[in-house]
Short mmCIF file of all heavy atoms in Angstrom, two decimals:
data_model
loop_
_atom_site.label_atom_id
_atom_site.label_comp_id
_atom_site.label_asym_id
_atom_site.label_seq_id
_atom_site.Cartn_x
_atom_site.Cartn_y
_atom_site.Cartn_z
N ALA J 75 109.54 95.15 89.72
CA ALA J 75 108.44 95.77 90.47
C ALA J 75 107.21 95.96 89.58
O ALA J 75 106.08 95.71 90.00
CB ALA J 75 108.89 97.11 91.05
N VAL J 76 107.44 96.38 88.33
CA VAL J 76 106.31 96.58 87.41
C VAL J 76 105.65 95.24 87.10
O VAL J 76 104.41 95.12 87.11
CB VAL J 76 106.79 97.27 86.12
CG1 VAL J 76 105.72 97.24 85.04
CG2 VAL J 76 107.20 98.71 86.43
N ARG J 77 106.46 94.22 86.84
CA ARG J 77 105.88 92.89 86.58
C ARG J 77 105.10 92.38 87.78
O ARG J 77 104.01 91.82 87.63
CB ARG J 77 107.00 91.90 86.22
CG ARG J 77 107.60 92.15 84.87
CD ARG J 77 108.69 91.14 84.56
NE ARG J 77 109.35 91.48 83.32
CZ ARG J 77 110.66 91.45 83.12
NH1 ARG J 77 111.46 91.06 84.11
NH2 ARG J 77 111.17 91.78 81.97
N GLN J 78 105.67 92.56 88.95
CA GLN J 78 104.98 92.12 90.17
C GLN J 78 103.66 92.86 90.32
O GLN J 78 102.64 92.28 90.69
CB GLN J 78 105.86 92.35 91.40
CG GLN J 78 105.20 91.99 92.70
CD GLN J 78 104.90 90.50 92.81
OE1 GLN J 78 105.66 89.67 92.33
NE2 GLN J 78 103.77 90.17 93.41
N SER J 79 103.68 94.14 90.03
CA SER J 79 102.47 94.96 90.12
C SER J 79 101.39 94.45 89.16
O SER J 79 100.21 94.35 89.52
CB SER J 79 102.83 96.39 89.79
OG SER J 79 102.11 97.27 90.54
N LYS J 80 101.81 94.11 87.94
CA LYS J 80 100.84 93.60 86.95
C LYS J 80 100.28 92.25 87.38
O LYS J 80 99.09 92.00 87.26
CB LYS J 80 101.50 93.48 85.58
CG LYS J 80 101.72 94.82 84.91
CD LYS J 80 102.36 94.66 83.55
CE LYS J 80 102.56 96.03 82.91
NZ LYS J 80 103.26 95.93 81.61
N ARG J 81 101.16 91.39 87.90
CA ARG J 81 100.68 90.08 88.37
C ARG J 81 99.68 90.25 89.52
O ARG J 81 98.66 89.57 89.57
CB ARG J 81 101.86 89.20 88.82
CG ARG J 81 102.65 88.60 87.68
CD ARG J 81 103.60 87.51 88.17
NE ARG J 81 104.58 88.00 89.13
CZ ARG J 81 105.78 88.46 88.82
NH1 ARG J 81 106.18 88.49 87.56
NH2 ARG J 81 106.60 88.88 89.76
N THR J 82 99.98 91.18 90.40
CA THR J 82 99.08 91.43 91.52
C THR J 82 97.73 91.95 91.03
O THR J 82 96.68 91.52 91.51
CB THR J 82 99.72 92.44 92.49
OG1 THR J 82 100.94 91.88 92.98
CG2 THR J 82 98.81 92.75 93.66
N ALA J 83 97.77 92.85 90.06
CA ALA J 83 96.52 93.40 89.53
C ALA J 83 95.69 92.32 88.85
O ALA J 83 94.47 92.25 89.04
CB ALA J 83 96.83 94.53 88.55
N VAL J 84 96.35 91.44 88.10
CA VAL J 84 95.63 90.35 87.42
C VAL J 84 95.04 89.39 88.45
O VAL J 84 93.88 88.99 88.36
CB VAL J 84 96.58 89.59 86.45
CG1 VAL J 84 95.95 88.29 85.97
CG2 VAL J 84 96.93 90.48 85.27
N ARG J 85 95.82 89.06 89.47
CA ARG J 85 95.34 88.15 90.51
C ARG J 85 94.16 88.78 91.27
O ARG J 85 93.14 88.12 91.50
CB ARG J 85 96.47 87.85 91.49
CG ARG J 85 96.07 86.85 92.58
CD ARG J 85 97.09 86.74 93.67
NE ARG J 85 97.13 88.01 94.38
CZ ARG J 85 98.25 88.65 94.71
NH1 ARG J 85 99.41 88.15 94.43
NH2 ARG J 85 98.20 89.80 95.33
N ASP J 86 94.27 90.08 91.60
CA ASP J 86 93.19 90.75 92.31
C ASP J 86 91.93 90.83 91.46
O ASP J 86 90.81 90.67 91.97
CB ASP J 86 93.62 92.15 92.75
CG ASP J 86 94.65 92.11 93.87
OD1 ASP J 86 94.88 91.01 94.43
OD2 ASP J 86 95.23 93.17 94.16
N GLN J 87 92.11 91.08 90.17
CA GLN J 87 90.96 91.15 89.26
C GLN J 87 90.28 89.79 89.18
O GLN J 87 89.05 89.70 89.24
CB GLN J 87 91.41 91.60 87.87
CG GLN J 87 90.29 91.72 86.87
CD GLN J 87 89.27 92.78 87.25
OE1 GLN J 87 89.62 93.79 87.85
NE2 GLN J 87 88.01 92.55 86.91
N ALA J 88 91.07 88.72 89.06
CA ALA J 88 90.50 87.37 89.00
C ALA J 88 89.76 87.05 90.29
O ALA J 88 88.67 86.47 90.27
CB ALA J 88 91.60 86.35 88.75
N TRP J 89 90.34 87.46 91.41
CA TRP J 89 89.70 87.22 92.69
C TRP J 89 88.37 87.97 92.78
O TRP J 89 87.35 87.43 93.21
CB TRP J 89 90.61 87.63 93.84
CG TRP J 89 89.95 87.57 95.17
CD1 TRP J 89 89.47 88.59 95.92
CD2 TRP J 89 89.62 86.38 95.90
NE1 TRP J 89 88.90 88.13 97.07
CE2 TRP J 89 88.97 86.77 97.08
CE3 TRP J 89 89.82 85.03 95.67
CZ2 TRP J 89 88.53 85.87 98.02
CZ3 TRP J 89 89.37 84.13 96.62
CH2 TRP J 89 88.74 84.55 97.78
#
Side-chain angles (χ1 to χ4, degrees):
V76 169
R77 289 181 186 136
Q78 177 64 36
S79 216
K80 287 181 179 176
R81 284 192 300 268
T82 300
V84 168
R85 183 191 66 226
D86 290 349
Q87 181 64 32
W89 173 257

